[in-house]
């Protein structure tokens, strides 16, 4: 199964390369911790929020981002966040989480390195962190019907060498992925002086009888 997934991903990337990256997509790398935490890195092609038909645009070059003022960068990241809020549902069991606050970073879409003036394909990387709710350990991603692109999911639990890979399309839900069982909390009970006060009369009666 892992070999099949690898071939599928390789085929997708080869196809994208053959078309000079004209077909945008989105990637989510989700890693779940043993203590119930999770971290997701969402790779967003700006074309998904710059146009209702992302594939009609050429890849976004470095100058689009580097030439923006701080206010324009803030507005672009706001649009990217709104796109994720509209098209991503993080579902754990019966509970759908509010999308955690995103921290954003612009990067070279071909190398995943920081932008340079020569970058020919800008991507935005969102990092989301949160905690798996107690309502359920089965994780599902719901992908919006108007997302306009495909979504590649890479899901990983602690100790897992290879991520589980899924590819879903707009309007679909991913297959359930079982996250780690949270550790059992051991409640330590300390000494309670109330028990000594309650037991004092009984100890006194026992002491009086023992002296007779």
């Amino acid at each position: 199964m892992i070999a099949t997934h690898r071939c599928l991903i390789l085929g997708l990337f080869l196809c994208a390369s053959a078309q000079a990256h004209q077909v945008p997509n989105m990637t989510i790398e989700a890693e779940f911790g043993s203590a119930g935490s999770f971290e997701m890195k969402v790779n967003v092609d700006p074309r998904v929020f710059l146009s209702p038909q992302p594939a009609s645009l050429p890849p976004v070059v470095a100058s689009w981002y580097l030439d923006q003022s701080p206010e324009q960068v803030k507005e672009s990241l706001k649009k990217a966040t709104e796109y994720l809020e509209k098209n991503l549902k993080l579902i754990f069991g019966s509970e759908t989480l509010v999308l955690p606050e995103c921290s954003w970073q612009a990067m070279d879409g071909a190398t995943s390195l920081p932008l340079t003036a020569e970058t020919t394909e800008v991507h935005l990387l969102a990092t989301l962190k949160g905690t798996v709710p107690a309502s359920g350990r089965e994780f599902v991603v719901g992908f919006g019907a108007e997302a306009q692109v495909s979504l590649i999911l890479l899901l990983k639990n602690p100790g897992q060498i290879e991520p589980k890979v899924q590819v879903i399309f707009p309007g679909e839900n991913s297959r359930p992925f079982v996250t780690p069982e949270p550790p059992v909390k051991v409640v330590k009970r300390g000494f309670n002086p109330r028990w000594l006060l309650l037991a004092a009369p009984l100890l006194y009666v026992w002491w009086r009888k023992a002296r007779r």
Side-chain angles (χ1 to χ4, degrees), residues 96-107:
T96 300
L97 293 189
V98 175
L99 198 70
E101 184 177 354
C102 303
S103 61
W104 289 96
Q105 176 185 353
M107 66 180 189

Side-chain angles (χ1 to χ4, degrees), residues 176-196:
F177 178 79
V178 180
T179 62
E181 187 171 355
V184 177
K185 293 184 179 180
V186 178
V187 179
K188 295 183 178 180
R189 299 184 181 276
F191 173 73
N192 190 340
R194 288 183 58 195
W195 292 110
L196 183 58

Side-chain angles (χ1 to χ4, degrees), residues 39-118:
E39 179 177 285
M40 299 182 187
K41 294 188 178 294
V42 187
N43 189 326
V44 179
D45 189 318
R47 289 180 286 175
V48 299
F49 61 82
L50 291 176
S51 171
Q53 296 181 325
S56 67
L57 297 180
V60 179
V61 295
S63 58
W64 170 80
Y65 187 86
L66 295 175
D67 293 346
Q68 291 187 40
S69 67
E71 292 75 17
Q72 290 172 325
V73 169
K74 184 176 180 180
E75 183 63 24
S76 294
L77 298 183
K78 178 183 176 184
K79 290 179 180 179
T81 300
E82 289 172 346
Y83 175 86
L84 295 186
E85 290 174 342
K86 179 181 178 181
N87 292 293
L88 281 185
K89 290 184 178 179
L90 308 182
I91 306 167
F92 289 90
S94 60
E95 183 174 348
T96 300
L97 293 189
V98 175
L99 198 70
E101 184 177 354
C102 303
S103 61
W104 289 96
Q105 176 185 353
M107 66 180 189
D108 189 307
T111 65
S112 298
L113 296 174
L115 294 184
T116 68
E118 289 73 37

